[in-house]
Amino acid sequence: MTVNSSKSPDAPRTSCIQCGSCCTKGGPALHKQDMDIMRRGVIMPQHLFSLRVGEKVYENVVGAVAPSREEMVKIKGKPGSWICLFFNEEEKNCGIYQDRPMECQALACWDTSAIEAVYAKDRLTRFDLVGPQDAVRKFMDAHEKRCSHREMARLIGLLSSEQAEKAANQILDMVLYENDMRAMLVQKAGLKNEHLDFLFGRPLQEALKGYGLEVKNIRGKLALFPVGNNP
Ligand code: SF4
């Protein structure tokens, strides 16, 4: 669900015509008001992904890509697209309409003043949903400390300096640590693969593509390349 501007180019629309357009541009972020939907199991961790502090996101109210200033939890898109997981493309309706999140209730595409008023308030984060006593929490905290997006962005900024080699190795260490931790938690601790993007955010390897970089495995060793560069 995306907020683009205060008035739709389709104006003078004054009510929802169920075109489904808002549901095809990304799922909503969850807010404290949506806790009850989570408690009742309407929306579950496998339906969500986390955006971590410093991660590049499209700030739709601002209309630009910028590092996120705070954590967010959002409903995933369908595989390979931004279409909300709960959007029924044939019927053009919401599969959880009676329990749709607060942002979806507030959005009126012909006048976005209501959504703009609540959009940035009381956002839920994974830390609201996974308490300090939860066994996985220590892995989340360690991962955040070791693999923060801010640190990765700082290291990427050094790639054009004389410290480039050291910075590249540090980035690859972060990727390796994260990949190993995610694999270990699934294989040995029994965590569900589909919960990982909620618990730890999207993999760093994915985030690196937003900087024009990709990680490749060259003869058993990870290496960093500009996207599209075939070694
Ligand atoms: S939860 Fe429902 S209303 Fe909200 S974006 Fe997804 S399909 Fe649309």
Side-chain angles (χ1 to χ4, degrees):
M1 195 197 64
T2 302
V3 185
N4 285 321
S5 64
S6 60
K7 294 288 176 191
S8 160
D10 296 331
R13 188 181 296 167
T14 56
S15 63
C16 177
I17 59 165
Q18 292 190 292
C19 66
S21 174
C22 56
C23 307
T24 63
K25 295 174 183 167
L30 299 187
H31 296 250
K32 305 273 194 265
Q33 297 94 312
D34 299 315
M35 272 292 230
D36 183 54
I37 313 172
M38 294 288 300
R39 283 199 197 99
R40 288 189 283 116
V42 176
I43 297 175
M44 296 193 279
Q46 60 264 38
H47 301 136
L48 303 171
F49 70 96
S50 292
L51 285 170
R52 297 192 290 135
V53 171
E55 185 166 359
K56 275 188 172 183
V57 291
Y58 183 73
E59 285 277 2
N60 38 39
V61 168
V62 180
V65 174
S68 177
R69 282 163 291 174
E70 58 180 350
E71 286 252 350
M72 281 180 247
V73 174
K74 297 192 79 167
I75 293 182
K76 286 177 183 169
K78 296 187 184 195
S81 85
W82 288 107
I83 300 170
C84 176
L85 204 58
F86 291 110
F87 184 60
N88 181 327
E89 289 172 81
E90 279 178 18
E91 308 279 335
K92 289 201 182 303
N93 62 25
C94 171
I96 56 166
Y97 186 79
Q98 296 304 328
D99 291 307
R100 66 199 189 286
M102 182 275 282
E103 281 194 6
C104 307
Q105 295 181 40
L107 179 64
C109 64
W110 59 94
D111 179 358
T112 56
S113 53
I115 182 74
E116 284 173 17
V118 295
Y119 172 78
K121 287 184 186 158
D122 296 326
R123 281 176 172 152
L124 266 186
T125 78
R126 58 197 167 131
F127 298 109
D128 295 315
L129 299 164
V130 182
Q133 309 307 327
D134 199 301
V136 76
R137 181 63 181 263
K138 69 171 189 276
F139 293 99
M140 292 164 65
D141 293 338
H143 171 256
E144 191 53 40
K145 207 167 166 187
R146 181 99 183 249
C147 301
S148 80
H149 279 279
R150 282 183 174 152
E151 176 61 4
M152 191 175 78
R154 187 188 74 80
L155 292 169
I156 289 169
L158 294 175
L159 289 177
S160 50
S161 76
E162 54 191 23
Q163 298 175 58
E165 190 177 343
K166 187 177 170 198
N169 286 334
Q170 287 176 297
I171 292 168
L172 292 170
D173 280 349
M174 289 164 74
V175 169
L176 199 57
Y177 169 87
E178 183 187 73
N179 290 353
D180 287 351
M181 186 200 64
R182 289 169 82 111
M184 182 276 292
L185 287 170
V186 171
Q187 288 158 16
K188 297 193 176 153
L191 229 63
K192 289 187 177 160
N193 206 27
E194 70 234 48
H195 289 179
L196 294 179
D197 286 359
F198 162 66
L199 295 169
F200 301 100
R202 294 180 296 179
L204 288 180
Q205 271 183 253
E206 288 301 313
L208 280 167
K209 289 180 189 162
Y211 291 91
L213 295 166
E214 61 185 333
V215 176
K216 292 186 180 175
N217 190 325
I218 308 292
R219 292 181 288 281
K221 203 167 172 231
L222 296 186
L224 205 54
F225 291 93
V227 169
N229 182 313
N230 290 313

